Amino acid sequence: VSSGSVMVPCPWLTEVAEYAKAHPDADIGLHLTLTSEWKNYRWGPVAPKDQVASLLDPNGYFYSDVAPVALHAKPEEVEREIRAQVDLAIKMGIHPTHLDMHMGTLAARADFYAALVKVAHQYGLPFLAVHVPDAREKMMETLLSPKDFILDSLVMFDNRVPAQRWTESYVDALKAIKPGVTYMIVHLGQDDSELEAITGGHSDYGAAWRQRDFNAVTSEKFKKALRDNHIILIHWRDLKKLM
């Protein structure tokens, strides 16, 4: 699946909105956000803070990690916030093609995921749902409708991959993909002073990490692996049509 997604509570949302208006056929989803993980670059909710107080840390920002969200957040306030993010994106001229989630937070609890499904259904949008060989599969079966599209697999890299093998690891992943629809998550960026300042102190998903991801998926090796393994890139718009 080839697409991009935007985090609505974050700065520079206006730039994405301008791009969306200029490129109405662009495949842009919403990376629904309930965490704020960087040390000095923080964000909070779109909904009024007093209406989503359980999502906030003592400083009024989103929590930095998933665990405290899962511990403290009320499902009705989760739903209120993600709905506010969808509404703001649409108000600004972004017509989302799908909904996914930042740091997997909406998959941390069944009632959080139920909120995602409810909002997605009401807006007629496909959303991140993947076949998983554990108890979560049954949970999804109870929440999803027959029209919902479930991805066959998900691929994402982590810090166990040595930097010098980054591109080769992506090529290996492409070779291992089985027939079906696979969702490959990449984190693209430029290793410049701005991104270094934002992600400082985080080697995982930091500026250098994102530059390696960018270099990998734009490399000739990656493009050749797509061709050699007969992989067809599709968009969330294509999945939406199937609904």
Side-chain angles (χ1 to χ4, degrees):
V1 177
S2 175
S3 179
S5 53
V6 60
M7 297 167 66
V8 174
C10 302
W12 294 96
L13 175 66
T14 52
E15 183 181 28
V16 179
E18 288 179 4
Y19 180 89
K21 291 173 185 175
H23 302 83
D25 294 329
D27 210 71
I28 302 174
L30 304 184
H31 200 54
L32 297 172
T33 303
L34 298 175
T35 51
S36 176
E37 69 272 32
W38 309 119
K39 180 180 178 181
N40 297 317
Y41 185 76
R42 308 296 307 281
W43 51 78
V46 170
K49 287 188 175 183
D50 63 346
Q51 294 182 21
V52 291
S54 68
L55 307 182
L56 308 181
D57 71 8
N59 295 316
Y61 298 108
F62 285 141
Y63 289 103
S64 296
D65 208 348
V66 176
V69 184
L71 181 63
H72 297 290
K74 298 176 181 178
E76 63 271 19
E77 295 186 2
V78 168
E79 180 184 335
R80 184 174 296 132
E81 173 58 23
I82 63 176
R83 189 183 300 279
Q85 292 181 22
V86 176
D87 287 340
L88 177 59
I90 294 172
K91 180 181 178 181
M92 295 187 66
I94 300 170
H95 300 287
T97 54
H98 66 281
L99 303 177
D100 58 35
M101 64 190 82
H102 184 51
M103 295 175 66
T105 310
L106 289 168
R109 282 174 34 181
D111 49 6
F112 291 1
Y113 196 78
L116 166 64
V117 174
K118 180 180 178 182
V119 171
H121 284 171
Q122 289 176 348
Y123 287 85
L125 294 171
F127 56 94
L128 185 58
V130 185
H131 285 294
V132 285
D134 56 34
R136 290 173 296 173
E137 187 86 13
K138 280 193 172 181
M139 175 196 76
M140 287 200 301
E141 287 177 0
T142 63
L143 295 173
L144 304 186
S145 80
K147 291 184 179 180
D148 290 325
F149 194 92
I150 306 178
L151 302 164
D152 296 295
S153 62
L154 183 148
V155 176
M156 189 175 76
F157 289 88
D158 57 35
N159 56 11
R160 292 173 293 181
V161 178
Q164 63 272 20
R165 287 208 73 254
W166 210 262
T167 297
E168 287 72 16
S169 294
Y170 275 98
V171 170
D172 292 343
L174 293 179
K175 292 178 181 178
I177 286 177
K178 295 180 172 60
V181 180
T182 295
Y183 192 53
M184 178 177 281
I185 297 177
V186 292
H187 298 80
L188 309 180
Q190 302 291 333
D191 188 5
D192 57 18
S193 59
E194 181 182 33
L195 197 53
E196 287 170 4
I198 289 170
T199 64
H202 290 255
S203 57
D204 293 354
Y205 305 102
W209 173 300
R210 292 165 190 267
Q211 182 73 64
R212 289 195 297 271
D213 264 11
F214 178 84
N215 293 344
V217 301
T218 58
S219 69
E220 286 304 316
K221 289 182 179 179
F222 186 86
K223 295 173 185 177
K224 184 176 185 298
L226 288 173
R227 294 191 301 268
D228 291 349
N229 293 280
H230 310 290
I231 295 170
I232 301 170
L233 298 180
I234 63 172
H235 296 85
W236 279 99
R237 287 187 187 277
D238 301 319
L239 300 183
K240 187 177 181 182
K241 291 176 184 175
L242 295 176
M243 296 173 60

PDB file of all heavy atoms in Angstrom, residues 8-37:
ATOM      1  N   VAL A   8      -2.721  15.426  12.695  1.00  0.00           N
ATOM      2  CA  VAL A   8      -3.495  16.673  12.735  1.00  0.00           C
ATOM      3  C   VAL A   8      -3.111  17.595  13.892  1.00  0.00           C
ATOM      4  O   VAL A   8      -3.077  18.825  13.706  1.00  0.00           O
ATOM      5  CB  VAL A   8      -5.008  16.350  12.761  1.00  0.00           C
ATOM      6  CG1 VAL A   8      -5.846  17.611  12.948  1.00  0.00           C
ATOM      7  CG2 VAL A   8      -5.417  15.646  11.464  1.00  0.00           C
ATOM      8  N   PRO A   9      -2.806  17.106  15.106  1.00  0.00           N
ATOM      9  CA  PRO A   9      -2.514  18.045  16.200  1.00  0.00           C
ATOM     10  C   PRO A   9      -1.169  18.757  16.076  1.00  0.00           C
ATOM     11  O   PRO A   9      -0.900  19.673  16.851  1.00  0.00           O
ATOM     12  CB  PRO A   9      -2.502  17.136  17.446  1.00  0.00           C
ATOM     13  CG  PRO A   9      -3.190  15.881  17.041  1.00  0.00           C
ATOM     14  CD  PRO A   9      -2.880  15.717  15.587  1.00  0.00           C
ATOM     15  N   CYS A  10      -0.340  18.359  15.117  1.00  0.00           N
ATOM     16  CA  CYS A  10       1.032  18.850  15.067  1.00  0.00           C
ATOM     17  C   CYS A  10       1.163  20.142  14.260  1.00  0.00           C
ATOM     18  O   CYS A  10       0.331  20.453  13.408  1.00  0.00           O
ATOM     19  CB  CYS A  10       1.938  17.788  14.458  1.00  0.00           C
ATOM     20  SG  CYS A  10       1.903  16.234  15.371  1.00  0.00           S
ATOM     21  N   PRO A  11       2.242  20.899  14.501  1.00  0.00           N
ATOM     22  CA  PRO A  11       2.521  22.072  13.671  1.00  0.00           C
ATOM     23  C   PRO A  11       2.699  21.674  12.200  1.00  0.00           C
ATOM     24  O   PRO A  11       2.956  20.530  11.883  1.00  0.00           O
ATOM     25  CB  PRO A  11       3.831  22.600  14.255  1.00  0.00           C
ATOM     26  CG  PRO A  11       3.867  22.081  15.658  1.00  0.00           C
ATOM     27  CD  PRO A  11       3.199  20.743  15.606  1.00  0.00           C
ATOM     28  N   TRP A  12       2.555  22.633  11.326  1.00  0.00           N
ATOM     29  CA  TRP A  12       2.715  22.472   9.874  1.00  0.00           C
ATOM     30  C   TRP A  12       1.529  21.753   9.241  1.00  0.00           C
ATOM     31  O   TRP A  12       1.578  21.381   8.064  1.00  0.00           O
ATOM     32  CB  TRP A  12       4.018  21.750   9.505  1.00  0.00           C
ATOM     33  CG  TRP A  12       5.239  22.537   9.856  1.00  0.00           C
ATOM     34  CD1 TRP A  12       5.981  22.401  11.000  1.00  0.00           C
ATOM     35  CD2 TRP A  12       5.834  23.598   9.105  1.00  0.00           C
ATOM     36  NE1 TRP A  12       7.013  23.305  10.999  1.00  0.00           N
ATOM     37  CE2 TRP A  12       6.951  24.056   9.843  1.00  0.00           C
ATOM     38  CE3 TRP A  12       5.524  24.199   7.880  1.00  0.00           C
ATOM     39  CZ2 TRP A  12       7.755  25.090   9.395  1.00  0.00           C
ATOM     40  CZ3 TRP A  12       6.344  25.226   7.431  1.00  0.00           C
ATOM     41  CH2 TRP A  12       7.447  25.663   8.195  1.00  0.00           C
ATOM     42  N   LEU A  13       0.445  21.577   9.985  1.00  0.00           N
ATOM     43  CA  LEU A  13      -0.760  21.010   9.378  1.00  0.00           C
ATOM     44  C   LEU A  13      -1.240  21.887   8.230  1.00  0.00           C
ATOM     45  O   LEU A  13      -1.728  21.385   7.213  1.00  0.00           O
ATOM     46  CB  LEU A  13      -1.869  20.873  10.426  1.00  0.00           C
ATOM     47  CG  LEU A  13      -3.226  20.396   9.910  1.00  0.00           C
ATOM     48  CD1 LEU A  13      -3.144  18.958   9.410  1.00  0.00           C
ATOM     49  CD2 LEU A  13      -4.297  20.515  11.000  1.00  0.00           C
ATOM     50  N   THR A  14      -1.069  23.196   8.366  1.00  0.00           N
ATOM     51  CA  THR A  14      -1.518  24.106   7.316  1.00  0.00           C
ATOM     52  C   THR A  14      -0.784  23.838   6.004  1.00  0.00           C
ATOM     53  O   THR A  14      -1.359  23.999   4.917  1.00  0.00           O
ATOM     54  CB  THR A  14      -1.309  25.565   7.735  1.00  0.00           C
ATOM     55  OG1 THR A  14       0.046  25.746   8.167  1.00  0.00           O
ATOM     56  CG2 THR A  14      -2.246  25.939   8.871  1.00  0.00           C
ATOM     57  N   GLU A  15       0.474  23.438   6.080  1.00  0.00           N
ATOM     58  CA  GLU A  15       1.229  23.136   4.861  1.00  0.00           C
ATOM     59  C   GLU A  15       0.630  21.921   4.153  1.00  0.00           C
ATOM     60  O   GLU A  15       0.502  21.899   2.918  1.00  0.00           O
ATOM     61  CB  GLU A  15       2.695  22.885   5.191  1.00  0.00           C
ATOM     62  CG  GLU A  15       3.546  22.635   3.952  1.00  0.00           C
ATOM     63  CD  GLU A  15       4.998  22.365   4.285  1.00  0.00           C
ATOM     64  OE1 GLU A  15       5.274  21.858   5.389  1.00  0.00           O
ATOM     65  OE2 GLU A  15       5.857  22.641   3.424  1.00  0.00           O
ATOM     66  N   VAL A  16       0.266  20.906   4.940  1.00  0.00           N
ATOM     67  CA  VAL A  16      -0.361  19.723   4.350  1.00  0.00           C
ATOM     68  C   VAL A  16      -1.695  20.096   3.721  1.00  0.00           C
ATOM     69  O   VAL A  16      -2.047  19.608   2.635  1.00  0.00           O
ATOM     70  CB  VAL A  16      -0.551  18.619   5.410  1.00  0.00           C
ATOM     71  CG1 VAL A  16      -1.226  17.391   4.793  1.00  0.00           C
ATOM     72  CG2 VAL A  16       0.780  18.230   6.030  1.00  0.00           C
ATOM     73  N   ALA A  17      -2.452  20.963   4.390  1.00  0.00           N
ATOM     74  CA  ALA A  17      -3.742  21.390   3.855  1.00  0.00           C
ATOM     75  C   ALA A  17      -3.569  22.105   2.518  1.00  0.00           C
ATOM     76  O   ALA A  17      -4.340  21.882   1.574  1.00  0.00           O
ATOM     77  CB  ALA A  17      -4.451  22.294   4.861  1.00  0.00           C
ATOM     78  N   GLU A  18      -2.549  22.948   2.422  1.00  0.00           N
ATOM     79  CA  GLU A  18      -2.284  23.639   1.160  1.00  0.00           C
ATOM     80  C   GLU A  18      -1.929  22.635   0.065  1.00  0.00           C
ATOM     81  O   GLU A  18      -2.375  22.750  -1.080  1.00  0.00           O
ATOM     82  CB  GLU A  18      -1.158  24.661   1.342  1.00  0.00           C
ATOM     83  CG  GLU A  18      -1.562  25.883   2.150  1.00  0.00           C
ATOM     84  CD  GLU A  18      -0.408  26.853   2.326  1.00  0.00           C
ATOM     85  OE1 GLU A  18       0.680  26.604   1.742  1.00  0.00           O
ATOM     86  OE2 GLU A  18      -0.573  27.861   3.033  1.00  0.00           O
ATOM     87  N   TYR A  19      -1.121  21.651   0.422  1.00  0.00           N
ATOM     88  CA  TYR A  19      -0.741  20.622  -0.550  1.00  0.00           C
ATOM     89  C   TYR A  19      -1.969  19.832  -0.995  1.00  0.00           C
ATOM     90  O   TYR A  19      -2.139  19.545  -2.187  1.00  0.00           O
ATOM     91  CB  TYR A  19       0.298  19.683   0.063  1.00  0.00           C
ATOM     92  CG  TYR A  19       0.744  18.584  -0.881  1.00  0.00           C
ATOM     93  CD1 TYR A  19       1.811  18.791  -1.747  1.00  0.00           C
ATOM     94  CD2 TYR A  19       0.088  17.355  -0.924  1.00  0.00           C
ATOM     95  CE1 TYR A  19       2.216  17.801  -2.638  1.00  0.00           C
ATOM     96  CE2 TYR A  19       0.481  16.361  -1.808  1.00  0.00           C
ATOM     97  CZ  TYR A  19       1.544  16.593  -2.657  1.00  0.00           C
ATOM     98  OH  TYR A  19       1.924  15.616  -3.536  1.00  0.00           O
ATOM     99  N   ALA A  20      -2.815  19.473  -0.050  1.00  0.00           N
ATOM    100  CA  ALA A  20      -4.016  18.693  -0.373  1.00  0.00           C
ATOM    101  C   ALA A  20      -4.935  19.447  -1.324  1.00  0.00           C
ATOM    102  O   ALA A  20      -5.517  18.857  -2.243  1.00  0.00           O
ATOM    103  CB  ALA A  20      -4.755  18.327   0.913  1.00  0.00           C
ATOM    104  N   LYS A  21      -5.069  20.744  -1.113  1.00  0.00           N
ATOM    105  CA  LYS A  21      -5.918  21.547  -1.999  1.00  0.00           C
ATOM    106  C   LYS A  21      -5.324  21.622  -3.404  1.00  0.00           C
ATOM    107  O   LYS A  21      -6.059  21.619  -4.403  1.00  0.00           O
ATOM    108  CB  LYS A  21      -6.096  22.951  -1.425  1.00  0.00           C
ATOM    109  CG  LYS A  21      -6.927  22.997  -0.147  1.00  0.00           C
ATOM    110  CD  LYS A  21      -6.911  24.393   0.458  1.00  0.00           C
ATOM    111  CE  LYS A  21      -7.622  24.432   1.799  1.00  0.00           C
ATOM    112  NZ  LYS A  21      -7.529  25.748   2.459  1.00  0.00           N
ATOM    113  N   ALA A  22      -3.999  21.702  -3.477  1.00  0.00           N
ATOM    114  CA  ALA A  22      -3.333  21.798  -4.780  1.00  0.00           C
ATOM    115  C   ALA A  22      -3.241  20.450  -5.477  1.00  0.00           C
ATOM    116  O   ALA A  22      -3.037  20.402  -6.693  1.00  0.00           O
ATOM    117  CB  ALA A  22      -1.934  22.392  -4.603  1.00  0.00           C
ATOM    118  N   HIS A  23      -3.363  19.358  -4.715  1.00  0.00           N
ATOM    119  CA  HIS A  23      -3.247  18.010  -5.272  1.00  0.00           C
ATOM    120  C   HIS A  23      -4.440  17.174  -4.783  1.00  0.00           C
ATOM    121  O   HIS A  23      -4.301  16.305  -3.921  1.00  0.00           O
ATOM    122  CB  HIS A  23      -1.938  17.349  -4.839  1.00  0.00           C
ATOM    123  CG  HIS A  23      -0.714  18.116  -5.235  1.00  0.00           C
ATOM    124  ND1 HIS A  23      -0.237  19.180  -4.493  1.00  0.00           N
ATOM    125  CD2 HIS A  23       0.130  17.982  -6.295  1.00  0.00           C
ATOM    126  CE1 HIS A  23       0.850  19.655  -5.074  1.00  0.00           C
ATOM    127  NE2 HIS A  23       1.094  18.952  -6.175  1.00  0.00           N
ATOM    128  N   PRO A  24      -5.629  17.430  -5.314  1.00  0.00           N
ATOM    129  CA  PRO A  24      -6.839  16.766  -4.803  1.00  0.00           C
ATOM    130  C   PRO A  24      -6.843  15.256  -4.977  1.00  0.00           C
ATOM    131  O   PRO A  24      -7.606  14.574  -4.302  1.00  0.00           O
ATOM    132  CB  PRO A  24      -7.963  17.421  -5.613  1.00  0.00           C
ATOM    133  CG  PRO A  24      -7.297  17.991  -6.831  1.00  0.00           C
ATOM    134  CD  PRO A  24      -5.938  18.393  -6.391  1.00  0.00           C
ATOM    135  N   ASP A  25      -5.995  14.728  -5.859  1.00  0.00           N
ATOM    136  CA  ASP A  25      -5.939  13.280  -6.052  1.00  0.00           C
ATOM    137  C   ASP A  25      -4.892  12.607  -5.166  1.00  0.00           C
ATOM    138  O   ASP A  25      -4.710  11.391  -5.243  1.00  0.00           O
ATOM    139  CB  ASP A  25      -5.639  12.956  -7.520  1.00  0.00           C
ATOM    140  CG  ASP A  25      -6.775  13.377  -8.441  1.00  0.00           C
ATOM    141  OD1 ASP A  25      -7.939  13.353  -7.984  1.00  0.00           O
ATOM    142  OD2 ASP A  25      -6.497  13.734  -9.601  1.00  0.00           O
ATOM    143  N   ALA A  26      -4.198  13.389  -4.341  1.00  0.00           N
ATOM    144  CA  ALA A  26      -3.172  12.813  -3.472  1.00  0.00           C
ATOM    145  C   ALA A  26      -3.796  11.871  -2.450  1.00  0.00           C
ATOM    146  O   ALA A  26      -4.906  12.108  -1.965  1.00  0.00           O
ATOM    147  CB  ALA A  26      -2.408  13.926  -2.756  1.00  0.00           C
ATOM    148  N   ASP A  27      -3.091  10.808  -2.142  1.00  0.00           N
ATOM    149  CA  ASP A  27      -3.554   9.817  -1.175  1.00  0.00           C
ATOM    150  C   ASP A  27      -3.048  10.237   0.206  1.00  0.00           C
ATOM    151  O   ASP A  27      -1.895   9.975   0.560  1.00  0.00           O
ATOM    152  CB  ASP A  27      -3.019   8.434  -1.563  1.00  0.00           C
ATOM    153  CG  ASP A  27      -3.949   7.310  -1.135  1.00  0.00           C
ATOM    154  OD1 ASP A  27      -5.013   7.184  -1.727  1.00  0.00           O
ATOM    155  OD2 ASP A  27      -3.587   6.576  -0.200  1.00  0.00           O
ATOM    156  N   ILE A  28      -3.873  10.914   0.976  1.00  0.00           N
ATOM    157  CA  ILE A  28      -3.470  11.437   2.291  1.00  0.00           C
ATOM    158  C   ILE A  28      -4.437  10.936   3.349  1.00  0.00           C
ATOM    159  O   ILE A  28      -5.630  11.235   3.314  1.00  0.00           O
ATOM    160  CB  ILE A  28      -3.449  12.980   2.301  1.00  0.00           C
ATOM    161  CG1 ILE A  28      -2.504  13.517   1.220  1.00  0.00           C
ATOM    162  CG2 ILE A  28      -3.035  13.496   3.673  1.00  0.00           C
ATOM    163  CD1 ILE A  28      -2.542  15.031   1.073  1.00  0.00           C
ATOM    164  N   GLY A  29      -3.919  10.174   4.293  1.00  0.00           N
ATOM    165  CA  GLY A  29      -4.731   9.704   5.403  1.00  0.00           C
ATOM    166  C   GLY A  29      -4.456  10.499   6.661  1.00  0.00           C
ATOM    167  O   GLY A  29      -3.652  11.439   6.662  1.00  0.00           O
ATOM    168  N   LEU A  30      -5.121  10.140   7.743  1.00  0.00           N
ATOM    169  CA  LEU A  30      -4.906  10.781   9.035  1.00  0.00           C
ATOM    170  C   LEU A  30      -4.254   9.791   9.983  1.00  0.00           C
ATOM    171  O   LEU A  30      -4.769   8.700  10.217  1.00  0.00           O
ATOM    172  CB  LEU A  30      -6.234  11.275   9.614  1.00  0.00           C
ATOM    173  CG  LEU A  30      -7.039  12.237   8.734  1.00  0.00           C
ATOM    174  CD1 LEU A  30      -8.270  12.719   9.482  1.00  0.00           C
ATOM    175  CD2 LEU A  30      -6.190  13.418   8.267  1.00  0.00           C
ATOM    176  N   HIS A  31      -3.119  10.198  10.506  1.00  0.00           N
ATOM    177  CA  HIS A  31      -2.357   9.397  11.462  1.00  0.00           C
ATOM    178  C   HIS A  31      -2.856   9.806  12.847  1.00  0.00           C
ATOM    179  O   HIS A  31      -2.263  10.648  13.523  1.00  0.00           O
ATOM    180  CB  HIS A  31      -0.871   9.712  11.279  1.00  0.00           C
ATOM    181  CG  HIS A  31       0.072   8.690  11.821  1.00  0.00           C
ATOM    182  ND1 HIS A  31       0.023   7.358  11.486  1.00  0.00           N
ATOM    183  CD2 HIS A  31       1.124   8.825  12.675  1.00  0.00           C
ATOM    184  CE1 HIS A  31       1.000   6.710  12.083  1.00  0.00           C
ATOM    185  NE2 HIS A  31       1.663   7.571  12.835  1.00  0.00           N
ATOM    186  N   LEU A  32      -3.992   9.242  13.252  1.00  0.00           N
ATOM    187  CA  LEU A  32      -4.672   9.685  14.468  1.00  0.00           C
ATOM    188  C   LEU A  32      -3.726   9.620  15.661  1.00  0.00           C
ATOM    189  O   LEU A  32      -3.093   8.598  15.919  1.00  0.00           O
ATOM    190  CB  LEU A  32      -5.921   8.839  14.693  1.00  0.00           C
ATOM    191  CG  LEU A  32      -6.981   8.968  13.585  1.00  0.00           C
ATOM    192  CD1 LEU A  32      -8.088   7.944  13.782  1.00  0.00           C
ATOM    193  CD2 LEU A  32      -7.545  10.380  13.511  1.00  0.00           C
ATOM    194  N   THR A  33      -3.672  10.734  16.399  1.00  0.00           N
ATOM    195  CA  THR A  33      -2.571  10.959  17.337  1.00  0.00           C
ATOM    196  C   THR A  33      -3.072  11.165  18.757  1.00  0.00           C
ATOM    197  O   THR A  33      -3.874  12.064  19.011  1.00  0.00           O
ATOM    198  CB  THR A  33      -1.764  12.196  16.884  1.00  0.00           C
ATOM    199  OG1 THR A  33      -1.306  12.000  15.545  1.00  0.00           O
ATOM    200  CG2 THR A  33      -0.583  12.437  17.793  1.00  0.00           C
ATOM    201  N   LEU A  34      -2.573  10.326  19.668  1.00  0.00           N
ATOM    202  CA  LEU A  34      -2.915  10.457  21.090  1.00  0.00           C
ATOM    203  C   LEU A  34      -1.669  10.485  21.969  1.00  0.00           C
ATOM    204  O   LEU A  34      -1.775  10.439  23.198  1.00  0.00           O
ATOM    205  CB  LEU A  34      -3.823   9.297  21.524  1.00  0.00           C
ATOM    206  CG  LEU A  34      -5.181   9.201  20.830  1.00  0.00           C
ATOM    207  CD1 LEU A  34      -5.911   7.942  21.267  1.00  0.00           C
ATOM    208  CD2 LEU A  34      -6.031  10.435  21.103  1.00  0.00           C
ATOM    209  N   THR A  35      -0.488  10.531  21.349  1.00  0.00           N
ATOM    210  CA  THR A  35       0.773  10.600  22.086  1.00  0.00           C
ATOM    211  C   THR A  35       1.636  11.711  21.505  1.00  0.00           C
ATOM    212  O   THR A  35       1.466  12.106  20.353  1.00  0.00           O
ATOM    213  CB  THR A  35       1.549   9.272  22.009  1.00  0.00           C
ATOM    214  OG1 THR A  35       1.643   8.870  20.637  1.00  0.00           O
ATOM    215  CG2 THR A  35       0.900   8.176  22.821  1.00  0.00           C
ATOM    216  N   SER A  36       2.570  12.184  22.321  1.00  0.00           N
ATOM    217  CA  SER A  36       3.510  13.230  21.903  1.00  0.00           C
ATOM    218  C   SER A  36       4.875  12.834  22.440  1.00  0.00           C
ATOM    219  O   SER A  36       5.208  13.107  23.596  1.00  0.00           O
ATOM    220  CB  SER A  36       3.065  14.590  22.463  1.00  0.00           C
ATOM    221  OG  SER A  36       3.998  15.600  22.164  1.00  0.00           O
ATOM    222  N   GLU A  37       5.679  12.183  21.610  1.00  0.00           N
ATOM    223  CA  GLU A  37       6.826  11.418  22.101  1.00  0.00           C
ATOM    224  C   GLU A  37       8.146  12.168  22.219  1.00  0.00           C
ATOM    225  O   GLU A  37       9.066  11.695  22.894  1.00  0.00           O
ATOM    226  CB  GLU A  37       7.047  10.183  21.212  1.00  0.00           C
ATOM    227  CG  GLU A  37       7.541  10.481  19.795  1.00  0.00           C
ATOM    228  CD  GLU A  37       6.402  10.715  18.818  1.00  0.00           C
ATOM    229  OE1 GLU A  37       5.343  11.234  19.233  1.00  0.00           O
ATOM    230  OE2 GLU A  37       6.578  10.387  17.635  1.00  0.00           O
TER     231      GLU A  37
END
